[in-house]
Amino acid sequence: MNLKQLALMLDLSQTTVSRALNGYPEVNEETRRRVVDAAKRHGYRPNPSARRLATGKAGMIGYVLPTGASVDIDPHFVEFLSGLGDYARSHELDLVLSPAEADDEETTYRRVAANKQVDAVYVSAPRPKDRRIALLHQLGLPFLVHGRSEGLDFPYPHLDIDNEGAFHEAGRLLVQLGHRRIALINGDDTQTFAIFRERGLRRALAVSGVELMPPMIRSAGMTEENGYRATRSLLELDVAPTAILCSSLIMGLGVVRALCDLGLSVPKDISLVAHDDVFPWLRPENFPVPLSTTRSSIRAAGARIAERLAARISGLEDDPRGEVWPVDLVVRGSVAGAPL
């Protein structure tokens, strides 16, 4: 079925049908839903070239993908893409990945903007004073940041979770249970999510007059092996921690393996809290001892990023609005009072 046939069947103009399928705000919601339902029912898919000519939109969301020997495939990223892809597929949007050298993403952003092959891009893993955000702001290409940067002198659209609040609440719980030697196994400490998490834990400890000392902090990519190595090094300290707060369930696997190798148990010897991005294949309740977590769905974040990018493409959203989701603290069997 082509556009003309679909329009005739619905008794609408081809322009109205095209605008409804491409999310134009002047088409009312009832008409848009009727057009979209009919298009799905009859298997209509707009021709990408025709859509570009008719609307000036490519129907593409872009992402600059860092590559190189130092870049690992991150399961968090894969889960995020699943959520983004679920929304994009159901709204006739495609995702374009543009590979870039990890230390020179800005060149690729310039090329993507100049080629006009995508209608909008999203930025992930932001750092303080992130130059990618400043560049996109300058280029005028619609964008959305997954996370937040600090130190920029202009507002920008973003979606983040309350990393500081999450680790503050987790730290406060551990302090209430009598722990004073609390270690942090964090993600990459050049990225703002990790900075916020450390800040939240420090704030929770400071209320009780406890300081998070540098020997109690480990920062690395969020892999099982890094969780293992960080835990082994922490437990080799002259004064070892009685509780560990780590930035990922995947790191938590390494923490548990290291404790097992050393003959230590959770929570008798070490209390453990991890951040849970809600992986369907890795559940905190299935750990040997159900794991206490700060919990937020990264798949849901991916879907919301796609939804907001679609709104920015269609003109329904044009303000630099920030969105910060609260994070739940779920207490399970992996925490207990500090050992005497």
Side-chain angles (χ1 to χ4, degrees):
M1 177 174 285
N2 60 34
L3 181 66
K4 181 179 180 180
Q5 292 168 328
L6 183 62
L8 284 171
M9 185 186 70
L10 292 168
D11 195 25
L12 295 170
S13 71
Q14 292 183 51
T15 299
T16 298
V17 171
S18 176
R19 288 178 177 273
L21 290 171
N22 287 283
Y24 278 74
E26 58 264 35
V27 179
N28 68 56
E29 182 60 25
E30 181 181 350
T31 300
R32 188 196 69 80
R33 189 181 300 113
R34 186 160 69 95
V35 170
V36 170
D37 289 346
K40 289 180 179 178
R41 192 164 59 250
H42 295 280
Y44 170 77
R45 291 184 63 86
N47 179 282
S49 298
R51 177 166 59 183
R52 180 188 286 273
L53 287 172
T55 67
K57 305 293 184 184
M60 303 282 189
I61 294 172
Y63 177 67
V64 173
L65 178 68
T67 60
S70 63
V71 179
D72 295 319
I73 296 299
D74 187 345
H76 303 85
F77 173 68
V78 174
E79 190 67 16
F80 175 86
L81 276 188
S82 297
L84 190 149
D86 287 343
Y87 184 94
R89 184 191 66 250
S90 63
H91 289 77
E92 300 290 345
L93 291 169
D94 291 309
L95 178 64
V96 177
L97 299 181
S98 299
E101 289 288 341
D103 58 353
D104 187 24
E105 294 179 49
E106 293 166 70
T107 297
T108 304
Y109 277 112
R110 291 182 185 277
R111 176 172 57 80
V112 167
N115 290 345
K116 297 183 179 179
Q117 292 179 331
V118 301
D119 302 312
V121 297
Y122 79 90
V123 178
S124 65
R127 291 173 164 79
K129 297 183 179 179
D130 199 302
R131 296 185 304 177
R132 298 170 299 170
I133 300 173
L135 175 62
L136 287 168
H137 180 71
Q138 173 190 336
L139 292 174
L141 179 65
F143 71 94
L144 195 68
V145 180
H146 181 211
R148 280 175 287 172
S149 182
E150 290 188 305
L152 297 172
D153 60 0
F154 56 89
Y156 57 90
H158 62 268
L159 171 70
D160 198 7
I161 64 172
D162 186 5
N163 286 292
E164 181 174 344
F167 274 48
H168 174 269
E169 289 304 300
R172 192 160 70 100
L173 170 65
L174 294 171
V175 168
Q176 289 172 344
L177 290 169
H179 293 277
R180 295 296 180 269
R181 302 196 307 274
I182 300 172
L184 173 64
I185 301 178
N186 210 348
D188 181 350
D189 61 6
T190 67
Q191 296 180 9
T192 47
F193 84 90
I195 294 169
F196 290 150
R197 290 178 183 182
E198 180 178 329
R199 188 182 298 167
L201 178 57
R202 285 187 181 279
R203 187 159 56 86
L205 298 183
V207 171
S208 298
V210 179
E211 185 177 355
L212 181 62
M213 302 300 291
M216 287 287 188
I217 303 172
R218 300 292 184 275
S219 299
M222 292 191 290
T223 66
E224 190 268 354
E225 183 61 26
N226 285 337
Y228 179 87
R229 292 177 179 177
T231 304
R232 291 295 298 251
S233 68
L234 285 167
L235 296 175
E236 290 169 359
L237 295 172
D238 292 337
V239 182
T242 62
I244 294 174
L245 180 54
C246 75
S247 266
S248 167
L249 274 186
I250 297 170
M251 296 180 103
L253 289 171
V255 174
V256 171
R257 179 163 66 92
L259 295 175
C260 183
D261 285 355
L262 293 169
L264 300 174
S265 64
V266 175
K268 179 183 176 183
D269 301 303
I270 299 284
S271 286
L272 177 60
V273 182
H275 180 69
D276 176 15
D277 283 302
V278 192
F279 297 116
W281 42 268
L282 180 61
R283 299 182 180 277
E285 56 267 35
N286 292 340
F287 275 63
V289 175
L291 201 61
S292 297
T293 58
T294 56
R295 181 178 175 89
S296 182
S297 170
I298 196 167
R299 182 184 284 256
R304 179 59 177 157
I305 291 281
E307 180 183 21
R308 287 192 58 188
L309 283 172
R312 299 188 78 79
I313 291 169
S314 65
L316 291 172
E317 176 185 320
D318 60 4
D319 60 311
R321 174 164 50 92
E323 190 174 334
V324 180
W325 289 2
V327 179
D328 297 324
L329 175 62
V330 183
V331 181
R332 299 186 180 91
S334 66
V335 294
L340 300 175

